[in-house]
């Protein structure tokens, strides 16, 4: 996997968690150990994201430190990218990219503008935002079109921006409706790297000419998540489908039990680096941990992931 | 493909259109010719459905005749099933099943209760409905859980009913949210045949232990739709993914241009049996036909389907 | 209240329930007694509707008989209108209107086309449907724009149809989003009678130049529902608002407990005509009845409605 | 109108715009002149909000300065409150309230927690957030339950918090579904001041025992917005309804044309203080301004508002 820039090779990226210690401080040793697990499994990493990365709870120094640790620990081995959080203004995203470039990540995601308060920007405002952001950096950028902001980035705009900005290298597409993915693939597949957010559409994406998927599940089971892509590259249909089915089941299980609240608790229970969530999120009950671990064991994931555990 | 009952073999079913002639009458010769195309391609058939089959425009005699033609023309070669329309009461579904059994189809879909007027039945009402319907027939039944009625059939109820009714042989799951499919597969995969409605989740379904998908696209390109399943069964990853990608693109194209309004117009343009839509649906413009045909040609579908056309 | 045609006077209509006896048969004496309560309270009546009227459970003879009983019992005293159910085709609505005209109701609602299976008609199909229906009858018609079908009847189309068809006399608007009501009022207020479906927007509707509201709550508390309008006509702000507040609270209470399942059970508990629901709906628990009755007593509704009850 | 604390008297609050000059700087003279218009009309003011106040574009010094100008210009004459923006963490809201208290506003809104990225907090997290925030300030607080964050603050929790925190004085309820308002009124009406966000439910709210509404329209037509409340207090039904109808129409017109993008442009066109929007928002075309002004003139608003204009 090329560690520096986007490629057209199939791939999976972990949307990395950010480990905190019991006092709520950024836990650098745990972060390093966690990233090491991901790198060994061969998955790329997005750091400091607003969802799985708890990016909205990080102050400026912490957000930078997370990237620094990532570059230092696994840079050059797998792609290390900044994810960041949905910005309210172009200025916020420009500042974030400047910081990320200064730290030396391989690339950074450019979130869609989220004007807040349930508002949606007009198409002209979406375009202005993206143009302002892309003009302000030379860092390789991946534009996100994410349903959480309530609108889609127009595929035709992505094609135009790709023509004009060589450092626009990819798109992350996170929309439940598959039509959004089809439209983006028809507009820029083969020119921009495309990943879908979450595993649900991973096979669909590959079939449409996209490169793969972003996964929070990879924080728990990185080898399993990589196996979907490895199987696909090897032309091994059975492996691709069986791995993918298990990722989807695991995804449903985790999201049904609190998302990374559960992921972190399970990692800790297994003796793996993960830490605790920060407020406003609260931890999960032991029952949740037991239910997830039971599923993992039944699915044979400890062996696949190489956990030497007495769970 | 076993023509009589549900199996655990991967499969695709066409949700067949119902050809009408220019005067709006059921066009039996066209229906026979259309079904012949589907059978030759090896896809099973659901007849008289409320969406692609324009089932809501059929009177009682027509609804029966469509099934009779299906059984007569392709019975014993591929599965021939009744789809029907969403019922307002159990009585409506019971009457439909009695008619379908009398005609001699292989199996029939049992739609979810649709009380109308935007109402949703309570869980107790859903259960009573399904119990009443299943108790009234011995025909092999496939229960539908479809988002158009605004609720899901509880997976645990499906498991219970499967225990109690040997003639409950399958589930058709049509929900945009993949979690609904995961839950149904966890509840009854391996015991009931499971298909997803529409191609979007077809690969996901196969990966989760379901048998395949239902497809309106198969009315236009049955060999393409079958190729997804044939590739999967053969372990041919490249064929599976390339066929599937094209089905998804074709699906987006057709639904973006009026669904079966476009499908029928394109079939007619190609000299294939299809007929016209009945009111309340109206036909599409020539531009739509041109756009779809252009896409088909660019995607190499005429050759795949064996159309000897000068399009 | 003019009993024959639409007027621009403020008004409320009950969406009448249809009483059934314990054996599930249409209970004509109970229907007559129920309608008498409504007429005495001075509210107009819509009969046989698909929601509160359980219209989807009525066969053809029953649907006609409900209208006949209405005309016979309260015709000439308050407006008696046919509501009916959402049709799948124009033909169904045309047949319904012919029957209603033959019975001699004052007017009939024309539901929006509901093509079923989650489908939406195109704007051209909506227009064709309404034109076909209006051309086929001379009965005064009220067109419904109802969110349950997933689209709005274009206000400009309503204005055009009002120009062309003198027997188009009103609009029933049932959309949660107030913008739909504003647009309809701007298009046809003062020319067509406008009512909102349900009480939530009743005051808003009056303020925008509409005539009032349709109410399922009037089946239980017709005088309370009429009091909103009477207070408004009298310029009595305090009465208008206090009555309206209570109607809204009652509405929330009933819909939160099963809608007419609860309404019918409470009426029976109070010794008033109401009967039981038909399958697919099932009755409610005694606890629900107790909770509703407790609320009614606390709100002083028995005295207002003139119930001589030992509840 | 009591300028210091919440009361149970009916009232309307303007969600004030924040004027910027052509260079995008906070325009203090325009803000003062704008607030003066509002105070003269007798409407209370919320400052720095994330929607109409463009609060997400303000840096810390600006957010403070807006409040200082408000207190200095109109403090003691009408209520002056801090609105602020949806916070990602309790810490952000606590810091905001400390600043607002230091400036000396009469009260401050406490927004619902918005964890970002489409996530929703669990009920336990909502409770923890509100407890942490309320424990950290002595400033009178109004808790917001707003649909933009994707969940409701549980009414029972509001009642409990009201028991425990005397400085919790109100609730702002902004949910399209009227059931949310009914539930809040049943839980705390008469104990906490309740306003609905936007005019659509203003009369409904008054009827349910709430105090009134928050209005962005008041930036343009404050006397009109106040007239709804003044009419209501005076028992003048005709005035209440006619004023309200016009506010609702104006609201639809403004939101259909870009919200405060249009409001600011129209104010400038009329020679009134308003300024321009900041990025990411862009201004509107002259046609929009013309359409809105035409409507205002036709509705007689210039005379009502006392504009001496040659529009």
């Amino acid at each position: 996997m090329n560690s520096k820039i986007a490629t057209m090779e199939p791939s999976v990226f972990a949307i990395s968690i950010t480990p905190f210690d019991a006092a709520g401080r950024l836990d650098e040793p745990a972060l390093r150990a966690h990233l090491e697990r991901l790198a060994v499994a061969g998955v790329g990493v997005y750091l400091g994201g607003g969802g799985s990365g708890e990016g909205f709870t990080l102050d400026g120094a912490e957000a930078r430190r997370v990237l620094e640790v990532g570059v230092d620990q696994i840079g050059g081995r797998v792609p290390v990218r900044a994810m960041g959080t949905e910005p309210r203004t172009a200025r916020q995203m420009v500042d974030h990219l400047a910081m990320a470039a200064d730290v030396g990540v391989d690339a950074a995601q450019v979130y869609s503008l989220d004007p807040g308060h349930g508002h949606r920007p007009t198409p002209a405002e979406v375009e202005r935002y993206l143009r302002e952001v892309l003009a302000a950096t030379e860092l390789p950028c991946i534009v996100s079109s994410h349903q959480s902001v309530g609108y889609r980035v127009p595929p035709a705009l992505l094609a135009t921006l790709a023509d004009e900005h060589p450092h626009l290298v990819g798109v992350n597409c996170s929309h439940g409706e598959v039509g959004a993915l089809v439209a983006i693939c028809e507009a820029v597949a083969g020119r921009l790297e495309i990943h879908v957010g979450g595993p649900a559409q991973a096979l669909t994406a590959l079939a449409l000419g996209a490169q793969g998927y972003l996964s929070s599940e990879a924080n728990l089971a990185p080898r399993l998540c990589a196996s979907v892509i490895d199987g696909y590259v090897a032309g091994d249909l059975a492996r691709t489908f069986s791995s993918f089915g298990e990722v989807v089941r695991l995804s449903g299980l985790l999201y049904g039990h609190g998302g990374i609240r559960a992921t972190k608790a399970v990692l800790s229970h297994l003796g793996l680096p993960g830490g605790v969530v920060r407020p406003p999120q609260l931890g999960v009950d032991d029952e949740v941990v037991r239910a997830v671990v039971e599923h993992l064991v039944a699915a044979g994931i400890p062996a696949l992931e190489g956990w030497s555990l007495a769970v």
Side-chain angles (χ1 to χ4, degrees), chain A:
Chain A
M1 201 171 189
N2 185 319
S3 70
K4 286 301 178 191
I5 56 161
T7 76
M8 293 301 126
E9 296 302 308
S11 59
V12 56
F13 279 81
I15 307 174
S16 181
I17 55 171
T18 306
F20 303 110
D21 65 22
R25 289 168 305 208
L26 178 62
D27 186 340
E28 285 193 25
L31 177 56
R32 289 181 181 276
H34 178 68
L35 295 176
E36 196 60 31
R37 281 185 68 227
L38 301 179
V40 167
V43 304
V45 176
Y46 274 101
L47 288 165
S52 298
E54 296 175 77
F56 287 114
T57 74
L58 301 174
D59 66 27
E62 291 171 330
R64 182 183 182 100
R65 189 59 194 149
V66 165
L67 298 187
E68 290 171 344
V69 168
V71 170
D72 183 61
Q73 183 70 29
I74 59 173
R77 294 158 60 196
V78 293
V80 176
R81 296 177 174 182
M83 179 159 264
T85 60
E86 289 90 341
R88 303 307 196 179
T89 64
R91 172 53 43 199
Q92 290 176 15
M93 182 51 64
V94 168
D95 290 348
H96 172 74
L97 294 176
M99 180 275 282
D102 191 53
V103 169
V105 295
D106 299 312
Q109 181 182 262
V110 174
Y111 259 120
S112 291
L113 179 66
D114 178 10
H117 203 67
H119 290 185
R120 294 182 193 179
T122 65
E125 291 167 357
V126 171
E127 179 167 351
R128 183 195 160 116
Y129 162 77
L130 287 174
R131 287 190 179 283
E132 186 173 342
V133 167
L134 289 170
T137 188
E138 295 180 359
L139 188 65
C141 288
I142 297 95
V143 168
S144 161
S145 186
H146 197 293
Q147 61 189 7
S148 75
V149 296
Y151 65 94
R152 303 175 183 180
V153 176
L157 175 59
L158 291 171
T160 300
L161 294 174
D163 287 340
E164 299 174 9
H165 297 279
H167 65 296
L168 171 55
V169 296
V171 184
N172 289 336
C173 174
S174 302
H175 295 278
E177 216 278 295
V178 75
L181 175 62
V182 172
I184 284 177
C185 287
E186 296 208 331
V188 296
R191 299 170 56 202
L192 297 183
E193 176 202 274
I194 303 171
H195 289 81
V196 285
Q201 298 173 334
L203 298 193
T204 308
L206 290 166
L208 289 167
Q211 275 59 53
Y213 68 114
L214 316 182
S215 170
S216 181
E217 296 73 22
N219 287 294
L220 185 55
R223 292 187 191 173
L224 174 68
C225 290
S227 182
V228 176
I229 298 300
D230 295 343
Y232 178 78
V233 171
D236 183 343
L237 185 142
R239 180 181 175 191
T240 303
F241 277 71
S242 67
S243 299
F244 175 70
E246 184 49 36
V247 172
V248 171
R249 279 187 292 268
L250 181 59
S251 179
L253 188 72
L254 289 172
Y255 276 94
H257 285 92
I260 63 148
R261 299 176 188 89
T263 300
K264 284 189 158 184
V266 170
L267 285 170
S268 295
H269 175 86
L270 296 173
L272 295 169
V276 297
V277 291
R278 266 188 178 171
Q281 290 188 93
L282 300 175
V284 295
D285 293 339
D286 288 349
E287 288 161 60
V288 168
V289 174
R290 271 196 297 275
V292 174
V293 170
E294 200 171 293
H295 173 90
L296 294 171
V297 170
I301 293 182
L304 173 66
E305 296 292 336
W307 300 336
S308 50
L309 312 158
V311 284

